[in-house]
Structure formats: structure tokens, C-alpha cells
Amino acid sequence: MQITNEMLTDMINKHLKDSPYKKYFKLIWEYGKQKLLVCEFSHNNVRFGIDISPKDTDSVLMKLCWRKPYELYGHKLKVAKSTPIKLFNNLLDEIVEKCINFINNNGKIKVSVIVPIFNREKTLNRLISSFQSQTMSKEEFEVIFVDDKSSDRSIEVIEQLSQGFNYSILKSPVQSGNASQPRNIGIKAARGIYTLFVDSDDYIDQDCLLNAYDYAIKNKADIVYLKCESVNEGRSLKSRLWNGINNIEDADIFSNYLLMSFYSFKLFKTNILVQNSIYFDKSLFVGEDQVFLVNALCNSNKVSILKDKTYYFLTTEQDVEHLSKIKESSINLFKKWTLCLNSIVSVRNHDKKKKLYNCLFFRFLKKYSDNFNNPPADRIETLRSVLQMFAKYHELYDDSLIYSDGKICLDKLNWNTVIQQEKELLQNTVISPSEESIVGIMNFHFANNFGAVLVPYSLLKVVRKLGYKAEIINYSPKEIPLRKDYAEFRKVFLNISTDNKLLTSHDDLVNFQSRYNKIIVGSDQVWRLFNTSTYMLDFAYGNKTLISYAASFGGNSFSKLTNEKATSLLNRFDAISVRESSGVNICNEQFGLSAMHVLDPTLLLTDNDYEEIINHFNPHNIDGQYAAYSVINKDNKEFVPAFLDRIGNSMNIKFKNLLSKYGSKEVNSVGGWLNDIKNSKFVITDSFHATVFSIIYRKKFVCLVTGANGSERIPSLLNSLGIDCYSRVVDSLDKITPKMIETDIDYSSVSERLSKMKNKSIMFLMNALNKKENFKDIV
């Protein structure tokens, strides 16, 4: 029998008549053209709906939806379940009960204040006193202190002084050296509708939280700018942003000078940050606030300004001298501005995009225009590269959106000449007249395994962060089996669906290659598997820049092609990088070519960059501690059950197979695979990318390396990061011991090495992409 909305409505009304949850029930209504049935509830002024739709003749699908402004809860408590119609009432009660309990624990928190802490015992008294004196009820805000490995009495002071308001102390896994990582930890833990970032040596006005929150709710603002005042010399706040005393309910990017303050000391709607994966870039040592704010503005619909009084007090008594001595690296400088530009050019609203572009350009002009006349030798090329990035999007330039004092700077930079050069460069590039110039990325995106799809995701994201338009070349040398979760991942995160033309032959690639003026091949074992000539880009000709990024030969030698053929093909590349040290040797000794050893693309991103994937697939979280394992080599699989029994019994821990969904033999989703590693206590694996993400998520791990599947890559990675292979790598499962598994890894040292390698790798990619196209003959 067909399940109808009328039938469901009748069932709900009858059930709730005698239900303890009746007092929370508000109404039932239909939504949209599909007449989706919505059952609405409310508790402590927090509203939530349960969307109900027939799945088939015997079951219904029920999905929890939190109402504004509590969308944040959707990232913390998700429910989407199907149930037989006979158990419909049970599931309804279960969802409502979960929501009521969640609201009781979280619903009163309006603002989360995030404070990074590193050796601040001397300034914490003033800061915490400002929290104690807040006019907002102490039940309505929380303070999340994130300890960045303090060695003084900071934590003791916090515990002594913070009684009386909601506070928590979270720990950073490694000392990060700046506020980015602690703030990111705080964002993920925040329960408040809005989030405020406060530095541990600053303090806030007693009305700050109450006035800012009330103003945000009144105006339905995504960001509220708070008037700041410096109480020590060293930080100048002479911004035209604060001209006048009138508050602004709906601020304009240009007219109200929103990019004249890059400080992060503003009230941000927490859901905007979480939903759009807006976090502080941990790889930036200078300018992380700038990138964060620009990204937040790009994703916000409404901004308000509170400037009737000072709400935030900045004090720099300990850091002024230290900050003045920091010299920003060229990589940091380039990355900071291109990350901002990349966020801006992705904005859909054209008027907003133009205002953001021109206001950001003004900030660049004011800060660096003098450097072009008297340039520091070590950064002039970087500044020119950034200027060229602005010129690349010159169609967004609008003279009327440049503040008057910035127009003088344009002459210093010869802006009109730079634009003309960019136009000529585009005109001289041989590309299809019907297609826009894009960077094409070619690897094994078609393969149904986790590393194969995360590699193109990572490389695509990094190239776009560097300011280039890029896409995955949809080529597959074999028929792709239809696997639901992988197909969904490709569609959502690689922009590849069944509507995209699938290229399956050399002729297809030849006919399609004119779409790209730059082509990157890699990462993965692109020079070991399938047709190696194709992955050495033999199909590309004309004016092109050809780049290999972290390509792998999959071993210590290469024999897929003759040396003559391989040398001929590799000589056409403008820049070559490989994933293993053995690859450098092969290029040098076998082909007489130089190559750079770089990181796998997945290691160029941070754990925050992968949160959007986990959130999309919404995987099951396992209760309690567990160990994750992944054995993909067929020769090792028969020994797995005995290993799990031996280690599981001796360590009293349960194991979760990374390859399968929780409680099922179904293949895991990409988000589920990531989430299982992220939340595990330790990892046992013979997979290269499971090893990579164990490092990204800072897990204890042991690698099974048997010499198959190009396993040179695991020891090469561990050695480069200073991880002892002797204590982490075995050649059989029976050699793994509990002591080996539980041995700590010094991730502070690993992070330091990883950061240097990441900068080196990104600089390679940046320089390679900046190379001009040159003519390539048909092979």
C-alpha cells in the first residue's frame, strides 16, 4: 500500500497525543513542490524539524534539520535513517529524545570564545577578569582555552581564575608556533551560535559578548566587526573603518572599508566557518588572519559593524619587539595573497567579487608599492608574481573601487603595462578559441581506491589555491566499474559526473588536449601502471607547459619503455618532480635529467581541508577506542585474522577494517575511510595513503611493507620525515608487537620537517606553473 502524507500525519497525531514529547511538538506541514512532510518541534527556543518522506511501500526516510540560527547543530548531531513503517513512531521518539538531550547540553551557549594559550600566566588575570565581568549571563557563553604546549603556569592560572563561567581547556597535539592550530581546534569544539577569537594577551569590554550577540541576532549578521583599541604602543588602529560612531547594520565591502581590518577579532557565525571549512592556514606564519577573514567575507551574506564604543582591547607588551623582527618568507608572501585571490574569484555574486578584488588589491598596493622602486633582492620576483596574479583577473579591476590614495601606487607598479602584458600573453597562447585556458590534471582518478581519488582532490585544491583554474582530465584507460560512493565523490569533489565526456583512447586525448595550456601528470604510480607513454603526455603538442608532480616509477628501476623513448618524452617536460628518492635517482642515472623529490599532494593540505569530505559522507562514529587496519595486498590477507586475535586479545582493543563501512561488508566511503583513521587510537596498514593520513592525523602506526605494489614509497616517506623505519616498518604481520604499536612518534619534529618539505613542494609547483608555454612537437 502506498504511504501518503495524510497517513503519516494521522499516525503522528495519534502517537503524540499520549507521548511525553507532545509538549515539544509545534506543527506538521508540507514543504516544496515535492510536498515533503515536516514535523516541527521546539525546546528552549531551539527549533528543529524532522523531514519525512516515503522510501518505498513499507518504509520511510526521516532526516533531522536544525532551524536558524542553530544550523551549527547539524554538524554535531546528524540523523538520517530509514525505518519500516511499523517502527515509525519508535524512530520519531528516538530522534526527538536525542535532540532534547543535545539542546539541554548545548542550547544555552550563544557565544564561544576561543583563546590560544602559550606561556601567558602574566597576562591571563586581566583577560579572565574581563570574562568574569561580562554583562551576558555566564550560562550563555563558553571560553575554550587551547593550550599550545605551555611550559609555565598558564593552565594552573586558568583553572584558578575561571570558576563561575563555562570553560574548557583543550590541548594542541604539537606546539604549533602560532595561533592557527589552537584556533582551529577551538572552532571544531565550539558550541556557540557565534564564535569570537581573543588573544591571550588582550581583553574585552564588559558589554562585548552581550552587545555583539544581540546586534548579530537582530541583523541576522554572519560577521560582526567589533571596534578595537590599542592600549600599548606597537599596534596601530588608525583605520578608516572606524570613522564615525554610528553602528552599521548592513555594511558594504567598499563603502565601509571592510578589508581595512585583517584582524580576526570579530564575531563570526560558527556555522559559516564549519559549513565552508573556513579555518586558519597552519602553514602560514604571517598573514593567517588575512586569509581567514577574506575567506569568511567571501562566504558571508551580511556583515554588521559595532563602533559606538571600544569592545576589544589589544595589548602587545610582550610581542612588539618580537613581531617587528619577523621576516616574511617569499613562499609565505605569495601563498597569502594568492589564497585570498583564489577565494575571491570563486565568489558567485559579481558585484561582491569586484569589491573584494579591488579592496584586496588596494591593500597590496599600499603595502608593497614602494618595494617595486627599491626592492629587497630576495622578494622582488615574488612581488611581481603576486602582481601578475592580480593582473590575471584584470577584468575585475575597477578604478572607481580603488581608494584615492591607492591610485598613486598604480603608477609606481606600472599597472597598465602589467595588464597589457597579461593580455598579450593570453593572445599568444595557443588554445581552443571556444575554451577558457585551464590547467589539466591527469592521474588515476578513475580507480576505486581511497588514495587514487584523494590524490586528484588534493592536487586540484592546491593548484586552485595558487590561483589557477584547473580541472581533472577525465581519462580512463579501462572501463570504470560503477561504485556509488566513489562516483558521488568524483561528482561532488572532482566535478566529474556521467555528464562529463569520458576520454578512453589516445585519439580522444589528442583531440581534447587543446583545452589545456598547462598539464600536470601525477601523483601516484603514473610511470609504472597502464600505458606509460600516455602518462608521459605523448598526446600533448603545441604551446604547452608540461609538469610532473610527485610522479612515481613505483620502484628502484624503470623498464616500461626503452631509455631512448622515455628520455625523448621526459625531455619535453618543463619541470619534473617525483614522489620517492628512488625516482630522483632513476631520472638522474637512467635519463640524465634532473628531478626534485616532493611530497605526495595529499600532504600539501591540512587535516582541515579534508573535513568537507567527512562532513559530506556523514560516516558512523564508533563508540570507544579502536585500532584501524587496512591490508590490501592479497598475499597478506590470509594472516589478518590470526593477527587481529593475537593483538586484540593482548591489548584488549577492538579493530575496525578501514576498507569496510561500520557494521557492514560494504566498501567504505571516502569520508568514512578518513573518519576511521582520524578517530582511531592507532593504525596498522600496508597502504601508502593510509600511512599518509595516519601522519596527517598524528596517529601511532605500523606499516607492513612486503616489497609488492611499489612499496619503496613508504620507507622513502618515513625517512624524509625523520620517522624511524626500524620501529615502524615490518615485512610480516607476526612481527608486529604491542610495544611497537604503542611507541610514540615525535610529531613536533615530524611537523617541522613536513612544513619545510611542504614549502619546498609548493614552491616547485608555483614555479612550474609560472613557466611560459613553449612549443611541443608531436611525438
Side-chain angles (χ1 to χ4, degrees):
M1 184 174 64
Q2 182 66 38
I3 300 173
T4 65
N5 283 353
E6 290 78 10
M7 183 190 304
L8 291 169
T9 301
D10 186 55
M11 288 179 64
I12 293 169
N13 284 326
K14 285 180 180 178
H15 174 66
L16 289 175
K17 186 177 180 181
D18 299 316
S19 169
Y21 304 110
K22 180 181 178 180
K23 60 182 177 181
Y24 306 113
F25 172 67
K26 292 301 177 185
L27 74 159
I28 302 175
W29 50 291
E30 292 180 329
Y31 173 75
K33 293 181 180 180
Q34 303 299 319
K35 294 190 179 298
L36 179 69
L37 191 66
V38 181
C39 192
E40 195 89 11
F41 295 86
S42 178
H43 175 51
N44 288 348
N45 295 318
V46 179
R47 294 185 306 120
F48 59 94
I50 301 174
D51 297 346
I52 307 166
S53 57
K55 186 176 181 183
D56 49 43
T57 56
D58 298 315
S59 62
V60 292
L61 179 66
M62 304 177 74
K63 183 178 180 182
L64 171 63
C65 294
W66 295 93
R67 303 304 187 216
K68 292 181 179 180
Y70 295 92
E71 306 100 311
L72 170 71
Y73 292 171
H75 297 283
K76 296 181 179 293
L77 178 60
K78 299 180 181 181
V79 180
K81 286 185 178 180
S82 59
T83 182
I85 190 67
K86 62 183 179 181
L87 298 176
F88 170 78
N89 292 333
N90 294 344
L91 182 56
L92 182 71
D93 285 353
E94 179 188 327
I95 296 172
V96 175
E97 183 179 7
K98 282 184 177 180
C99 292
I100 299 306
N101 291 335
F102 184 86
I103 292 168
N104 287 337
N105 292 327
N106 300 273
K108 292 183 179 180
I109 304 297
K110 295 177 177 178
V111 179
S112 295
V113 183
I114 297 172
V115 185
I117 299 293
F118 178 69
N119 292 351
R120 288 299 190 191
E121 60 175 296
K122 294 181 180 178
T123 62
L124 283 170
N125 193 328
R126 177 183 53 208
L127 170 65
I128 295 174
S129 293
S130 73
F131 295 150
Q132 293 283 15
S133 65
Q134 288 301 299
T135 51
M136 173 176 272
S137 167
K138 290 181 172 57
E139 293 182 342
E140 295 181 334
F141 70 91
E142 66 173 352
V143 181
I144 303 172
F145 297 98
V146 186
D147 179 28
D148 199 28
K149 299 286 185 182
S150 295
S151 58
D152 66 355
R153 293 181 58 255
S154 293
I155 302 308
E156 185 181 339
V157 171
I158 291 170
E159 291 172 340
Q160 289 174 350
L161 300 178
S162 299
Q163 303 303 314
F165 62 80
N166 294 304
Y167 80 95
S168 58
I169 301 172
L170 305 182
K171 301 285 186 181
S172 184
V174 295
Q175 187 177 319
S176 54
N178 65 14
S180 294
Q181 179 170 280
R183 286 174 178 168
N184 292 342
I185 292 170
I187 292 171
K188 293 174 183 178
R191 295 183 290 163
I193 307 305
Y194 286 87
T195 292
L196 176 70
F197 301 100
V198 176
D199 276 356
S200 54
D201 56 342
D202 299 337
Y203 60 99
I204 57 176
D205 178 74
Q206 64 180 6
D207 296 323
C208 178
L209 300 184
L210 181 63
N211 287 13
Y213 177 81
D214 285 349
Y215 201 61
I217 292 295
K218 172 191 171 186
N219 298 316
K220 297 180 179 178
D222 295 324
I223 304 175
V224 176
Y225 278 55
L226 305 175
K227 187 174 182 181
C228 302
E229 178 182 342
S230 178
V231 294
N232 290 91
E233 294 182 3
R235 279 182 177 173
S236 173
L237 291 175
K238 297 176 182 178
S239 170
R240 57 198 106 183
L241 171 68
W242 304 119
N243 289 346
I245 60 171
N246 294 325
N247 296 332
I248 299 171
E249 294 183 359
D250 191 359
D252 179 76
I253 293 162
F254 174 73
S255 303
N256 300 120
Y257 310 102
L258 293 188
L259 261 67
M260 297 308 292
S261 167
F262 285 148
Y263 289 131
S264 59
F265 315 130
K266 300 165 176 65
L267 198 69
F268 296 90
K269 193 170 186 181
T270 311
N271 186 57
I272 295 293
L273 305 180
V274 175
Q275 187 178 38
N276 297 288
S277 297
I278 301 172
Y279 297 101
F280 293 85
D281 193 312
K282 293 184 286 190
S283 68
L284 291 173
F285 192 70
V286 179
E288 67 274 17
D289 281 19
Q290 172 182 328
V291 176
F292 179 86
L293 178 69
V294 170
N295 201 359
L297 285 171
C298 288
N299 287 281
S300 300
N301 293 320
K302 192 174 184 182
V303 180
S304 299
I305 304 177
L306 267 178
K307 53 182 180 177
D308 54 349
K309 61 182 286 189
T310 299
Y311 286 95
Y312 194 105
F313 296 90
L314 301 99
T315 65
T316 56
E317 50 205 29
Q318 294 187 26
D319 287 338
V320 173
E321 184 179 355
H322 168 67
L323 289 170
S324 66
K325 292 179 179 178
I326 292 177
K327 183 178 181 181
E328 184 175 17
S329 71
S330 294
I331 293 174
N332 197 99
L333 187 152
F334 182 86
K335 187 175 182 182
K336 174 177 71 178
W337 291 95
T338 51
L339 283 175
C340 290
L341 263 175
N342 187 57
S343 294
I344 288 170
V345 298
S346 300
V347 173
R348 292 184 179 181
N349 183 296
H350 188 68
D351 288 340
K352 179 179 179 179
K353 185 190 299 187
K354 281 184 66 175
K355 288 177 180 178
L356 285 165
Y357 169 89
N358 286 279
C359 290
L360 183 74
F361 188 34
F362 171 81
R363 289 298 304 266
F364 178 78
L365 293 172
K366 291 290 288 181
K367 187 171 181 66
Y368 298 111
S369 61
D370 287 343
N371 286 165
F372 281 82
N373 289 337
N374 186 23
D378 61 340
R379 63 168 52 193
I380 184 59
E381 288 304 319
T382 304
L383 288 172
R384 285 174 179 160
S385 295
V386 176
L387 187 61
Q388 286 170 351
M389 289 298 298
F390 276 103
K392 188 173 184 176
Y393 303 105
H394 61 83
E395 70 276 5
L396 293 172
Y397 175 75
D398 187 335
D399 189 67
S400 67
L401 294 174
I402 298 291
Y403 303 116
S404 58
D405 48 329
K407 293 177 182 178
I408 301 170
C409 304
L410 290 170
D411 294 332
K412 294 182 181 179
L413 271 63
N414 297 314
W415 175 237
N416 290 330
T417 303
V418 174
I419 289 180
Q420 188 57 39
Q421 289 172 345
E422 182 65 24
K423 288 179 179 179
E424 290 173 0
L425 182 63
L426 288 174
Q427 289 171 356
N428 293 332
T429 302
V430 180
I431 59 172
S432 169
S434 62
E435 298 287 350
E436 187 177 7
S437 173
I438 342 176
V439 177
I441 297 174
M442 189 168 172
N443 42 43
F444 297 157
H445 77 280
F446 55 84
N448 287 319
N449 74 69
F450 305 108
V453 295
L454 285 166
V455 160
Y457 165 84
S458 307
L459 189 53
L460 184 67
K461 200 171 183 78
V462 170
V463 172
R464 286 176 174 173
K465 280 186 176 186
L466 290 175
Y468 292 87
K469 295 176 182 177
E471 69 181 26
I472 303 299
I473 299 175
N474 194 20
Y475 168 74
S476 174
K478 64 176 185 177
E479 185 178 348
I480 305 172
L482 184 61
R483 290 218 182 146
K484 180 183 174 184
D485 287 334
Y486 286 107
E488 183 179 350
F489 179 89
R490 293 187 189 99
K491 181 179 180 180
V492 174
F493 295 105
L494 303 183
N495 197 30
I496 291 173
S497 67
T498 53
D499 297 330
N500 295 94
K501 176 177 171 55
L502 177 63
L503 311 176
T504 59
S505 68
H506 188 271
D507 287 345
D508 284 345
L509 286 166
V510 170
N511 293 333
F512 204 70
Q513 61 92 40
S514 61
R515 178 174 174 80
Y516 309 107
N517 66 331
K518 299 178 189 291
I519 300 176
I520 304 173
V521 62
S523 175
D524 228 320
Q525 297 177 59
V526 289
W527 293 341
R528 172 178 177 261
L529 305 172
F530 305 109
N531 188 330
T532 304
S533 294
T534 302
Y535 284 94
M536 286 185 174
L537 307 184
D538 65 348
F539 60 86
Y541 66 92
N543 271 8
K544 291 275 185 289
T545 301
L546 303 184
I547 303 162
S548 81
Y549 183 81
S552 174
F553 294 99
N556 294 309
S557 61
F558 176 79
S559 57
K560 288 276 288 184
L561 301 173
T562 65
N563 276 12
E564 183 180 3
K565 178 73 177 289
T567 304
S568 175
L569 288 169
L570 291 174
N571 265 307
R572 301 184 341 132
F573 277 76
D574 299 276
I576 297 176
S577 65
V578 289
R579 193 175 63 185
E580 294 93 25
S581 54
S582 59
V584 175
N585 295 334
I586 291 171
C587 287
N588 289 342
E589 296 168 11
Q590 205 163 329
F591 308 125
L593 297 170
S594 61
M596 182 178 287
H597 181 194
V598 295
L599 289 171
D600 185 85
T602 51
L603 283 162
L604 299 183
L605 301 179
T606 68
D607 54 348
N608 294 327
D609 291 299
Y610 298 102
E611 282 298 301
E612 63 176 351
I613 301 173
I614 295 174
N615 290 336
H616 175 81
F617 284 98
N618 188 23
H620 178 91
N621 284 316
I622 303 171
D623 295 330
Q625 290 190 336
Y626 65 94
Y629 74 94
S630 170
V631 177
I632 56 178
N633 189 302
K634 293 179 181 178
D635 295 335
N636 297 324
K637 286 187 176 180
E638 63 178 295
F639 303 106
V640 170
F643 163 76
L644 297 182
D645 285 342
R646 176 172 62 86
I647 294 295
N649 290 334
S650 63
M651 299 185 70
N652 192 26
I653 193 167
K654 59 186 177 183
F655 277 87
K656 165 70 174 69
N657 188 348
L658 288 171
L659 304 180
S660 303
K661 291 183 179 178
Y662 179 78
S664 167
K665 291 184 179 180
E666 275 188 74
V667 175
N668 212 348
S669 68
V670 183
W673 185 83
L674 289 169
N675 196 55
D676 286 346
I677 296 175
K678 174 185 173 183
N679 293 319
S680 66
K681 187 177 181 184
F682 50 78
V683 179
I684 311 293
T685 185
D686 63 355
S687 157
F688 173 74
H689 281 104
T691 304
V692 164
F693 281 93
S694 298
I695 293 167
I696 289 173
Y697 290 119
R698 300 179 180 87
K699 299 297 173 182
K700 301 174 186 178
F701 63 88
V702 175
C703 297
L704 177 62
V705 175
T706 57
N709 295 326
S711 55
E712 148 69 15
R713 52 192 176 158
I714 291 177
S716 176
L717 172 64
L718 300 189
N719 285 328
S720 66
L721 294 175
I723 299 174
D724 179 24
C725 283
Y726 180 78
S727 63
R728 292 287 151 199
V729 176
V730 295
D731 59 8
S732 66
L733 284 168
D734 60 8
K735 292 184 179 179
I736 298 176
T737 65
K739 181 179 180 182
M740 181 182 293
I741 293 170
E742 292 184 320
T743 302
D744 287 330
I745 297 174
D746 181 5
Y747 273 112
S748 62
S749 173
V750 171
S751 296
E752 190 175 332
R753 288 189 182 221
L754 183 59
S755 178
K756 290 178 181 177
M757 292 180 67
K758 190 183 293 188
N759 285 339
K760 172 187 168 185
S761 300
I762 291 174
M763 183 59 85
F764 166 84
L765 199 53
M766 188 175 80
N767 289 335
L769 287 167
N770 275 338
K771 288 178 181 288
K772 290 185 178 180
E773 296 80 12
N774 56 76
F775 190 78
K776 305 291 190 294
D777 285 317
I778 298 175
V779 178

